[in-house]
Amino acid sequence: MELFDWFKGFEKGIARLPKNQRAALFSECSKQCVKSGTLEIYKELYKRADGDLDKFFLKADELPGVKCEIVAKGSVYHLYFTECTCKLHMEGYIHPLNFANVPGKASFISCICYGKTGHSG
């Protein structure tokens, strides 16, 4: 059996789980994903931007699967995730849109608005 075939069954099994169980599983998966790469990418961008959020969002706009807009310089930004760049997805093993119905979690083609007081989305 190929690894790809195993993931087909995994996806079908996940789809059968109630939303709260999918949320429990994927909240742990997403934490690990962020810790193992995504967070470091954004930390490095912030460092290269010398803490300037306008520069940070301009640099983030160059990342694959990300679109950024400066709505109001120095105060309001839109950050869009236009696609999943997870290696498992990029190699065809998983399809994150199948998992998008997890309560309280971001789904792809989502927008997060950042402003002076934090974020809302």
Side-chain angles (χ1 to χ4, degrees):
M1 175 169 71
E2 297 292 324
L3 188 58
F4 181 77
D5 293 322
W6 183 89
F7 273 100
K8 283 183 190 177
F10 176 74
E11 266 192 324
K12 288 178 183 177
I14 293 296
R16 294 177 56 194
L17 292 174
K19 286 182 182 183
N20 65 330
Q21 290 179 354
R22 285 195 312 255
L25 174 68
F26 287 112
S27 68
E28 293 304 316
C29 291
S30 62
K31 286 178 198 174
Q32 189 60 38
C33 178
V34 168
K35 286 179 190 175
S36 66
T38 307
L39 183 58
E40 292 306 314
I41 292 168
Y42 286 100
K43 280 182 175 179
E44 179 60 28
L45 280 182
Y46 188 75
K47 183 179 173 182
R48 288 188 2 226
D50 296 320
D52 180 315
L53 288 178
D54 290 348
K55 288 181 187 176
F56 170 82
F57 280 96
L58 286 172
K59 291 179 182 299
D61 191 54
E62 297 171 2
L63 294 172
V66 177
K67 172 75 176 128
C68 298
E69 295 176 6
I70 300 172
V71 178
K73 284 187 169 237
S75 64
V76 181
Y77 308 89
H78 286 175
L79 173 65
Y80 299 90
F81 296 99
T82 60
E83 63 182 293
C84 179
T85 57
C86 168
K87 189 172 181 177
L88 288 172
H89 171 68
M90 300 299 282
E91 292 182 9
Y93 291 114
I94 62 169
H95 302 89
L97 291 177
N98 293 346
F99 308 127
N101 291 324
V102 177
K105 305 298 178 202
S107 59
F108 290 93
I109 311 187
S110 64
C111 172
I112 301 172
C113 180
Y114 288 87
K116 286 184 178 179
T117 60
H119 73 275
S120 62

